[in-house]
Amino acid sequence: MVKIVRLEPIAQDTEVQTNANILSALLAEDLHVLKECGGRGLCATCHVFIKQGMESVSPMGRREQRTLEVITTAKINSRLACQSRILGEGVVVEVPTGMYLDAIEDIEALIGRRTEQDLLHPITGQVVVESGKLITRSVILELKDVRIQVGQYLARTREA
C-alpha cells in the first residue's frame, strides 16, 4: 500500500510503499542524499528531521540511536532516512538544507570560489563552508582525512 510523504523545504509530496524507508523516497525524487555506509545506519549522511507524523514512522533501533548521538546537529526529531520506515500517513520530512560533500575531487575544482549553498560535513552535518563564502584548500584537505577515517571505520564494521 502506498503512503504520501511530504518533503520540506521543497514542498513536494512523494509516494512511498508502506514499510519502505525514507531514504528510498528521497532518492526517488532525485535528491542529493549520501549513503556512505550503504544504508546500514552507521554514517549519518542521510540525517533528516521528522516535522510531523513521528508516530507513523518505525521505532528507532539501537544502532540508529548510537549514530545520532554523535551528530552535533541532531535534535529530538532527528532520524536516519535509511533506518526510518514509513508505516502510516501524515509524515512530513525536513531535509537539511545545504550540500553534503561527497566528491572531494569535484569540490577541489571549486577552491577559491564562493559556494552557492552551505557545504555540510559528511559525518556531523555541520556547515563546513557557509553559503557565499570561499572554499579553501585547508577545508578540502581536512575533509579528505575524514573520508579516509570513515572508510577505514566502515571497512572494520563490515569485517566484524
Side-chain angles (χ1 to χ4, degrees):
M1 186 167 199
V2 173
K3 307 292 186 216
I4 302 297
V5 174
R6 179 85 174 165
L7 303 177
E8 295 291 344
I10 61 174
Q12 188 170 340
D13 291 336
T14 186
E15 292 183 349
V16 180
Q17 289 293 326
T18 301
N19 215 28
N21 64 29
I22 294 171
L23 181 60
S24 64
L26 299 176
L27 294 174
E29 295 300 326
D30 293 326
L31 294 176
H32 180 74
V33 180
L34 294 180
K35 46 195 177 307
E36 286 293 309
C37 68
R40 297 182 323 159
L42 297 170
C43 69
T45 55
C46 65
H47 175 226
V48 296
F49 303 105
I50 306 297
K51 289 181 71 175
Q52 291 178 5
M54 188 67 88
E55 67 282 354
S56 295
V57 178
S58 62
M60 187 180 304
R62 182 79 177 115
R63 177 182 288 171
E64 180 181 7
Q65 185 177 10
R66 284 188 306 211
T67 300
L68 287 171
E69 287 172 356
V70 300
I71 303 174
T72 57
T73 57
K75 300 177 185 175
I76 191 87
N77 63 337
S78 289
R79 292 298 302 264
L80 298 180
C82 69
Q83 300 296 302
S84 306
R85 294 183 325 278
I86 301 297
L87 304 176
E89 296 288 349
V91 178
V92 177
V93 176
E94 180 182 352
V95 181
T97 57
M99 181 180 79
Y100 279 105
L101 294 169
D102 65 338
I104 298 296
E105 297 75 24
D106 294 340
I107 301 295
E108 282 180 335
L110 301 177
I111 292 173
R113 294 187 183 180
R114 297 191 184 277
T115 64
E116 294 179 14
Q117 56 184 321
D118 290 345
L119 294 181
L120 306 176
H121 192 281
I123 305 301
T124 65
Q126 287 182 308
V127 176
V128 176
V129 181
E130 292 179 18
S131 177
K133 301 289 181 174
L134 291 176
I135 299 173
T136 63
R137 185 169 305 284
S138 61
V139 167
I140 301 304
L141 292 174
E142 179 183 324
L143 289 169
K144 276 186 177 180
D145 289 342
V146 169
R147 284 188 65 91
I148 291 168
Q149 293 167 7
V150 169
Q152 291 170 347
Y153 170 74
L154 291 175
R156 285 195 306 269
T157 61
R158 286 185 186 111
E159 294 167 3

